[in-house]
Amino acid sequence: MPGMAVASGKQAATASPAVPSQVREFALQQSRNLFVEILVMLASSIVCIVLYFGGDANAANYLAPATVLVVGGIANIHMVRQDPNTLLTPLFATRLIALVVFGIGALSHNWLSAIAQSSADYMMVTSPEEAARVNMLWLGGMDVILIGVLASLQLFSGMQLRPKVFATHFSFNTALALVLFGFVPVFFILTSYTLPNLIANLFLALQLSGMFLMARISSNKISAYIWISLSIGALIMLSLFFMNKTIVLYPVLALVLGFISIKASFTRIALGSVTVLGLFIFIAPIVTQLRENHVEQHGSLGDISVGEQIEAISAQDFLHREQTEQPNSANSRLDYVVPAAFAMNQYDSGFKIDTIENSAAALVPRFLWPDKPVLTTGDQVNHRMGFQGTNSIGVTVFADIYWNLGWVGLILGFGMGIYTGLITIVSRELMRMDDWFMLPFVMAAFRMGVSLDGEFVASILVPAVLNLVIFFGLRIVGNFLSHRV
């Protein structure tokens, strides 16, 4: 990468006149933490395997997700307390989504009610043994990723990142402008024009950067909180209009992280967690209902007129929904055990997929290859399970890898760990140097980190390449501006 150099010992100190990056000290500190974390995770994995083959799959279904939840939560809190600059790193993001999906979501599967299973839109019987295999796959996948991160920290511990070449001073108005700029893709969507993935990811990264910076710069000003509230309100409406929860959830998560970055207190972490979870619980069932209503009226989730969708949203009773609808629907959206078990059963039955084998096609922009194959599996899962047509069902990255390659595919997790470790070093250094001009790259990398609930090609491989393009692009623009100012 431009601005990066890998060196060691005295050579690293003399190769660049820059301020020491402190990477080696950071890598050593995190390596110690990871070594203990990996030992605990591996020990739990071994116990789960023994329980599974010993005929106690139910115990494994509690132990595996509890391990991911507790160990991942403690590791993240400890890492941020040691170094607040790690808050936006891919390592923090990977643990965060893991403890939510592989921890809380997987645990909830053990006590999820029949009503909640119904609201999940996919009724499929999954035995305790099948669920245990899923939980062991997830736990094993996290083991491999963390081992890759540990190796990466050792490999790149001599790296030095060039200090920022372009001074960036962000005011609240500038941060707000970034948030508003992030709404630009809406106009393209309304005209049925599909933006290239690189452009769409960049707009999202700018919006997440704006939300993060708004929180950091707000300084308890009433006007700032008014603009923050208006931004969240607009995002909620867009999320409902496009029937996509992540439109509002990711920006609000960035906002929460912005407040936590000022002071990582227990109160801020608790309030932030409640805010994101509460928003999810509120919006998930409404989005589901809108999708179901649209499918009933039109037979699919095709194009819908602006007026028709606004009328459908207006018809929703936001305050007086069915008593069990919200919590059940929200819980079911965190429970990926059923679709992941389905994906594993498909591979074991000889119906594997080849999205990873053909992943090179995903890197070619569609405007250059309009007829390139679709390599996402969400719709396939939806139709193969054969129960409904309102959702693109995710199976999680590890189950998607298994569906392609079986257990041996988890070796890809080691590569994910190498990348996660490298970009964690880079992101942490950029944050340490307050290089806000590079924040869109940091946010794009963080966004990829919280994508373990998606698919390998669409959620990991392609974004990883696009993030490098964003890094190069921002570095080039920063160099250009530094010579113009």
Side-chain angles (χ1 to χ4, degrees):
M1 289 186 186
M4 292 186 197
V6 178
S8 61
K10 185 178 294 184
Q11 289 181 336
T14 60
S16 172
V19 176
S21 66
Q22 303 177 353
V23 171
R24 192 174 300 280
E25 180 182 350
F26 169 74
L28 179 61
Q29 182 184 65
Q30 295 307 315
S31 294
R32 293 191 189 116
N33 297 341
L34 277 166
F35 183 74
V36 176
E37 181 182 3
I38 291 170
L39 282 181
V40 176
M41 297 278 284
L42 286 174
S44 179
S45 298
I46 293 172
V47 173
C48 286
I49 293 172
V50 172
L51 290 171
Y52 175 79
F53 286 104
D56 195 356
N58 280 320
N61 287 331
Y62 281 95
L63 177 60
T67 301
V68 175
L69 175 60
V70 175
V71 176
I74 292 174
N76 260 359
I77 292 173
H78 186 58
M79 183 173 71
V80 173
R81 290 185 64 182
Q82 283 185 324
D83 188 343
N85 295 311
T86 60
L87 186 64
L88 293 184
T89 59
L91 178 56
F92 180 91
T94 298
R95 288 198 193 103
L96 180 64
I97 190 63
L99 66 89
V100 171
V101 175
F102 306 153
I104 297 173
L107 279 173
S108 71
H109 181 80
N110 294 311
W111 57 73
L112 206 59
S113 69
I115 297 177
Q117 285 285 1
S118 177
S119 71
D121 300 328
Y122 45 78
M123 282 296 292
M124 177 179 174
V125 176
T126 301
S127 69
E129 289 72 23
E130 290 173 318
R133 293 180 73 239
V134 169
N135 282 312
M136 289 189 293
L137 175 72
W138 288 342
L139 182 58
M142 289 303 299
D143 292 340
V144 177
I145 284 183
L146 293 175
I147 292 172
V149 173
L150 179 60
S152 184
L153 291 176
Q154 300 303 308
L155 182 63
F156 299 108
S157 63
M159 173 183 294
Q160 285 197 355
L161 195 68
R162 186 178 62 203
K164 58 185 176 182
V165 295
F166 177 67
T168 50
H169 302 286
F170 278 93
S171 64
F172 184 86
N173 289 339
T174 305
L176 178 60
L178 288 177
V179 173
L180 297 177
F181 197 62
F183 287 111
V184 169
V186 173
F187 299 101
F188 289 95
I189 296 174
L190 292 176
T191 58
S192 300
Y193 178 80
T194 302
L195 287 172
N197 283 336
L198 175 61
I199 305 301
N201 281 9
L202 182 57
F203 275 118
L204 176 59
L206 290 173
Q207 186 173 71
L208 297 181
S209 300
M211 295 294 283
F212 179 83
L213 290 171
M214 278 206 305
R216 283 185 63 92
I217 305 171
S218 59
S219 300
N220 295 323
K221 295 180 181 178
I222 297 178
S223 60
Y225 284 101
I226 291 175
W227 278 111
I228 289 174
S229 299
L230 290 174
S231 299
I232 295 175
L235 288 166
I236 289 175
M237 293 307 298
L238 287 176
S239 186
L240 294 176
F241 182 86
F242 292 108
M243 297 174 287
N244 185 341
K245 300 180 290 293
T246 60
I247 289 177
V248 63
L249 290 177
Y250 285 128
V252 170
L253 176 60
L255 184 77
V256 167
L257 292 175
F259 282 114
I260 293 176
S261 70
I262 301 172
K263 182 181 179 182
S265 65
F266 175 79
T267 301
R268 292 193 179 212
I269 293 174
L271 287 176
S273 301
V274 170
T275 298
V276 176
L277 182 59
L279 183 60
F280 176 78
I281 292 174
F282 169 75
I283 204 169
I286 301 174
V287 168
T288 298
Q289 189 63 51
L290 288 169
R291 288 176 176 177
E292 291 176 350
N293 292 346
H294 188 56
V295 169
E296 289 177 2
Q297 295 175 12
H298 301 277
S300 67
L301 283 176
D303 294 333
I304 184 172
S305 67
V306 174
E308 185 180 7
Q309 187 67 335
I310 291 176
E311 183 179 349
I313 295 172
S314 301
Q316 296 293 314
D317 188 348
F318 295 98
L319 299 178
H320 301 91
R321 307 188 69 82
E322 293 183 15
Q323 184 176 0
T324 59
E325 178 182 3
Q326 288 191 358
N328 284 332
S329 181
N331 285 340
S332 66
R333 291 299 178 264
L334 295 178
D335 177 13
Y336 287 79
V337 171
V338 174
F342 173 81
M344 295 182 74
N345 287 336
Q346 286 282 288
Y347 178 87
D348 294 340
S349 301
F351 299 104
K352 72 174 190 175
I353 55 177
D354 56 3
T355 54
I356 294 179
E357 180 182 344
N358 298 318
S359 58
L363 300 176
V364 181
R366 190 164 291 277
F367 70 86
L368 294 177
W369 186 3
D371 298 325
K372 78 172 183 178
V374 177
L375 296 177
T376 55
T377 61
D379 290 336
Q380 290 188 45
V381 177
N382 176 38
H383 293 295
R384 288 195 190 194
M385 292 180 77
F387 293 105
Q388 48 79 43
T390 64
N391 286 314
S392 176
I393 301 174
V395 299
T396 74
V397 166
F398 296 133
D400 182 62
I401 290 175
Y402 186 96
W403 199 356
N404 279 266
L405 303 169
W407 286 105
V408 70
L410 285 186
I411 195 173
L412 292 176
F414 183 79
M416 291 167 58
I418 293 291
Y419 182 90
T420 298
L422 170 61
I423 305 304
T424 289
I425 290 175
V426 176
S427 297
R428 180 259 180 185
E429 280 295 278
L430 291 172
M431 293 295 292
R432 185 183 69 82
M433 295 185 292
D434 291 336
D435 194 345
W436 302 121
F437 188 78
M438 295 297 295
L439 186 57
F441 162 75
V442 174
M443 280 299 183
F446 184 90
R447 169 67 179 83
M448 190 201 79
V450 292
S451 297
L452 286 182
D453 59 336
E455 305 166 20
F456 178 76
V457 174
S459 302
I460 302 297
L461 179 62
V462 173
V465 174
L466 295 181
N467 291 347
L468 295 180
V469 174
I470 291 175
F471 180 91
F472 283 124
L474 289 174
R475 275 301 200 199
I476 292 171
V477 172
N479 286 330
F480 174 77
L481 293 176
S482 68
H483 290 94
R484 301 283 293 182
V485 176

